[in-house]
Amino acid sequence: MARLGDILVRKGLVTQAQLEAALASQGSERGMLGQILLRRSLISLDQLGDALAEQYGVPYLDLVPQAVNPQVARLLPEDLARTRCCVPVGVSGGELRLAMVMPDDIDTICETELITGYQVRPMVALETAVNAALDRGFDDRLVARQTIVDMKMADLESAEHLTDVDTAAPVVAEEEQAPVVRLVRSILMGAINANCSDIHLEPHTPEMRVRYRVDGELQAVMTIPNHTEEAVVARIKVMADMDTTENRRPQDGRLTITEAGSNVNFRVSTIPTVGGEKVVMRLLDEGGRSFDLESLGLGARDLKAVNRLIAKPHGMIVVTGPTGSGKSTTMYAVLSKLNAVSRNIVTVEDPVEYRLSGVNQVASDNDHGLGFANALKYIMRQDPDVVMVGEIRDHETATTAVQASLTGHLLISTLHTNDAIGAVARLGDLGIDNFKIGGALLGSVAQRLLRSICPACKEPVEPNESLLKSLSHNTKVPADAVFFRGRGCKKCLGTGYMGRIPIYEIMEMSPALAEAVEKGMPATQLRQIARGEGMVELAQAGMEQVLAGKTTLEEVFYKISS
């Protein structure tokens, strides 16, 4: 087989000197010879295609990833397709058109025929185009969209052949069942691959909207036609073991799917709205979640403070922050750290999101007399050493929790407050006397999750002076400080962010602070005392991450002020 460079020289498209220069740069310049020549504008795409077709003796395909049906691309396993750098692009009769970077790879052709059952027609394509087609083909969100298109086409085809609506209806339902199953699985798999925390299916007119919450932000993914949404919701209810006939009251359930040999759980919640049933599914990846306090994202300073708090034999520790700030994860990490044969650890949660080996977990159930307050009373008869209460939200729960912490138990719970100092005022609002708060509370941990700058499109930026001024009143900003942002790219879906990092504000109850609490001093004075004893506020912790180049001023301001 002739070499590509020799063909191009023979055709007069490049000179021998240009070819040798391109070959010499292959060690340092990314890509194959043809791509290097393209980047240097020495040849055109059509000329490269003609040369490749002559070299391999097969047609050249100017592959457009958007034109490849994702379900066709998935005819081969992803690992095989990426390793061999090939992608199925079309099926006609018993023939499969296979775009390949190396169309003379007989092993790949034979293996493809064995896997798919089709006769392979190889075609040569550029590596970048093949990889782009694979990226698009194995994006589950696109597969779900394509499934919706397939369902619409199936509806049209069925309508054309209907002669008797009454007799044909069961057949149509049977035909639609498989696409609905495929659609729901694609939505779930897309959520897993996108590392999202929640899936929202929202009934609107004319179409149901599907959104993923990724890194704390909701992103629109697709829409589902109204005539299909009932079948989608019903399928989810079946998987979650919920009542498919009930659509006038809220329901809760749980479903599990298997991916790569491990189980991924979803907590499912439905609620009736004026447009139909809204479904929210919380991703609970037990197999991929590790509750390790050391790897939680705490800096050395904060880790020492948390370890000092949980080393106390009794008292109350509260974790505060808005919904979605990672409070439950922090509590699970603390429990994992405390978990030992010598300790009896009992929790009451609503619901139990993750199972911890060696920990006795109780699901809160108001219908059966096991609300937080009642469950806590029963737990106190179970000889506990450590008790975790999912949330303190009323006077009765707060009173029982404080009483437990004052009688020799270590109690951990959450409160909805904006900062660590706010835990004192919140307990006071729930009817707890100041002297009990001062005696029971060991400390409080306020936290936020900040979006990290995408490393693929990270670039320096001039800071917003007003934001910098408002956030840096307790932080010394070096004169040569460099600030960054994410420009937005394909990897971060144009957001400029990828992943999240936590920041903490930890208030440790000292004798001076406890005395101030018992005297009923206002939050401003409590904050002043805590700051004087070394407490780092959320704004300061956020600025530390900004100066480290991990997040942006805008992200810190938005999360701290919310």
Side-chain angles (χ1 to χ4, degrees):
M1 183 175 64
R3 294 183 300 178
L4 177 64
D6 294 338
I7 294 173
L8 293 172
V9 171
R10 178 166 49 79
K11 287 178 173 284
L13 300 176
V14 297
T15 66
Q16 188 66 38
Q18 290 171 331
L19 174 62
E20 290 175 358
L23 289 171
S25 68
Q26 276 190 302
S28 57
E29 194 170 342
R30 181 176 54 84
M32 302 176 73
L33 174 62
Q35 293 171 316
I36 294 173
L37 294 172
L38 278 175
R39 281 199 296 270
R40 297 185 177 187
S41 301
L42 296 175
I43 58 174
S44 69
L45 187 59
D46 288 339
Q47 291 170 337
L48 175 60
D50 290 340
L52 287 171
E54 180 178 334
Q55 180 186 19
Y56 289 105
V58 298
Y60 167 73
L61 176 64
D62 185 6
L63 181 59
V64 179
Q66 291 76 12
V68 180
N69 186 324
Q71 292 173 8
V72 173
R74 287 182 170 224
L75 287 174
L76 283 180
E78 183 176 7
D79 289 344
L80 174 67
R82 291 193 183 279
T83 302
R84 309 291 178 84
C85 210
C86 61
V87 59
V89 295
V91 174
S92 178
E95 185 180 78
L96 181 146
R97 295 190 304 280
L98 185 67
M100 307 175 68
V101 174
M102 297 291 189
D104 59 343
D105 185 350
I106 302 301
D107 289 341
T108 297
I109 293 173
C110 293
E111 198 164 345
T112 300
E113 290 181 339
L114 185 64
I115 292 172
T116 65
Y118 290 102
Q119 182 180 351
V120 170
R121 181 190 175 199
M123 310 180 81
V124 64
L126 296 183
E127 182 180 7
T128 52
V130 170
N131 286 331
L134 289 173
D135 289 342
R136 186 176 185 276
F138 285 93
D139 184 338
D140 289 275
R141 292 169 286 184
L142 291 169
V143 175
R145 293 192 190 105
Q146 183 61 43
T147 302
I148 293 172
V149 173
D150 293 346
M151 291 167 66
K152 288 181 178 178
M153 294 302 296
D155 286 344
L156 292 174
E157 291 174 4
S158 298
E160 289 176 359
H161 295 90
L162 281 180
T163 54
D164 188 334
V165 175
D166 292 332
T167 58
V171 178
V172 175
E174 188 174 302
E175 288 176 352
E176 284 189 346
Q177 184 180 3
V180 168
V181 171
R182 203 164 63 241
L183 172 59
V184 171
R185 181 169 178 84
S186 294
I187 292 173
L188 298 177
M189 294 302 302
I192 295 170
N193 293 332
N195 291 319
C196 91
S197 60
D198 301 87
I199 308 170
H200 291 243
L201 288 85
E202 304 160 320
H204 295 291
T205 301
E207 295 180 313
M208 170 178 269
R209 180 172 63 179
V210 180
R211 295 192 290 175
Y212 290 166
R213 187 176 293 279
V214 181
D215 294 336
E217 302 293 321
L218 282 171
Q219 300 176 1
V221 177
M222 70 187 79
T223 57
I224 298 174
N226 282 149
H227 76 277
T228 306
E229 69 179 59
E230 286 188 11
V232 170
V233 173
R235 172 60 185 168
I236 292 171
K237 284 183 174 181
V238 168
M239 294 176 70
D241 197 22
M242 298 160 71
D243 186 353
T244 57
T245 63
E246 179 59 71
N247 56 15
R248 292 176 296 179
R249 62 181 178 86
Q251 292 190 68
D252 292 309
R254 192 181 182 102
L255 65 85
T256 301
I257 63 173
T258 301
E259 168 63 10
S262 62
N263 292 333
V264 181
N265 297 313
F266 291 82
R267 190 183 76 208
V268 184
S269 172
T270 66
I271 190 170
T273 69
V274 292
E277 281 189 279
K278 182 180 189 299
V279 181
V280 175
M281 292 180 278
R282 166 66 59 88
L283 180 63
L284 307 172
D285 185 5
E286 296 188 24
R289 181 67 66 94
S290 174
F291 296 107
D292 181 18
L293 192 59
E294 278 69 24
S295 61
L296 198 60
L298 290 154
R301 176 193 64 221
D302 295 331
L303 183 59
K304 287 179 181 178
V306 171
N307 279 326
R308 282 195 299 268
L309 288 176
I310 65 177
K312 304 289 178 65
H314 56 81
M316 182 164 66
I317 303 169
V318 294
V319 185
T320 76
T323 301
S325 59
K327 299 188 298 297
S328 296
T329 301
T330 297
M331 288 201 301
Y332 280 127
V334 167
L335 291 182
S336 296
K337 179 78 172 183
L338 293 171
N339 195 4
V341 176
S342 59
R343 288 193 181 99
N344 177 21
I345 303 177
V346 188
T347 75
V348 54
E349 308 168 56
D350 182 22
V352 176
E353 293 189 353
Y354 296 97
R355 270 69 165 182
L356 296 178
S357 178
V359 175
N360 305 289
Q361 295 173 270
V362 177
S364 176
D365 187 352
N366 286 311
D367 293 338
H368 294 86
L370 268 183
F372 281 136
N374 277 342
L376 189 51
K377 291 176 183 177
Y378 290 119
I379 287 171
M380 297 313 296
R381 301 171 190 167
Q382 294 284 313
D383 186 32
D385 296 299
V386 180
V387 179
M388 190 267 269
V389 180
E391 182 185 353
I392 297 176
R393 61 177 69 155
D394 54 47
H395 170 71
E396 190 178 5
T397 305
T399 301
T400 310
V402 169
Q403 189 63 35
S405 62
L406 289 171
T407 54
H409 305 89
L410 183 63
L411 187 134
I412 305 165
S413 188
T414 67
L415 282 173
H416 280 284
T417 67
N418 288 328
D419 51 33
I421 298 294
V424 174
R426 178 60 181 151
L427 289 171
D429 291 341
L430 293 173
I432 306 301
D433 294 330
N434 287 331
F435 75 91
K436 287 186 177 180
I437 298 174
L441 190 61
L442 294 175
S444 61
V445 180
Q447 65 182 81
R448 298 290 191 278
L449 289 175
L450 305 178
R451 290 181 293 170
S452 301
I453 298 173
C454 173
C457 59
K458 184 177 180 179
E459 64 180 13
V461 66
E462 286 297 320
N464 183 311
E465 291 298 333
S466 62
L467 292 184
L468 181 60
K469 185 177 180 180
S470 67
L471 291 172
S472 61
H473 56 277
N474 288 323
T475 305
K476 184 178 180 181
V477 179
D480 59 349
V482 181
F483 297 84
F484 295 91
R485 69 161 188 177
R487 183 178 62 256
C489 63
K490 290 182 179 179
K491 288 190 175 181
C492 61
L493 300 178
T495 64
Y497 297 97
M498 182 179 293
R500 290 191 287 180
I501 52 174
I503 57 172
Y504 300 90
E505 176 182 285
I506 302 175
M507 180 196 76
E508 297 181 76
M509 189 66 75
S510 65
L513 197 53
E515 183 180 352
V517 170
E518 291 172 9
K519 289 180 179 179
M521 288 187 179
T524 51
Q525 290 182 266
L526 297 179
R527 179 176 299 279
Q528 189 175 357
I529 295 171
R531 202 163 50 218
E533 294 179 343
M535 184 184 79
V536 175
E537 296 179 283
L538 283 169
Q540 185 178 345
M543 278 300 301
E544 290 174 355
Q545 299 293 350
V546 170
L547 295 175
K550 295 180 179 179
T551 191
T552 64
L553 285 169
E554 290 77 10
E555 178 69 3
V556 174
F557 181 79
Y558 172 71
K559 290 295 168 63
I560 299 301
S561 59
S562 61

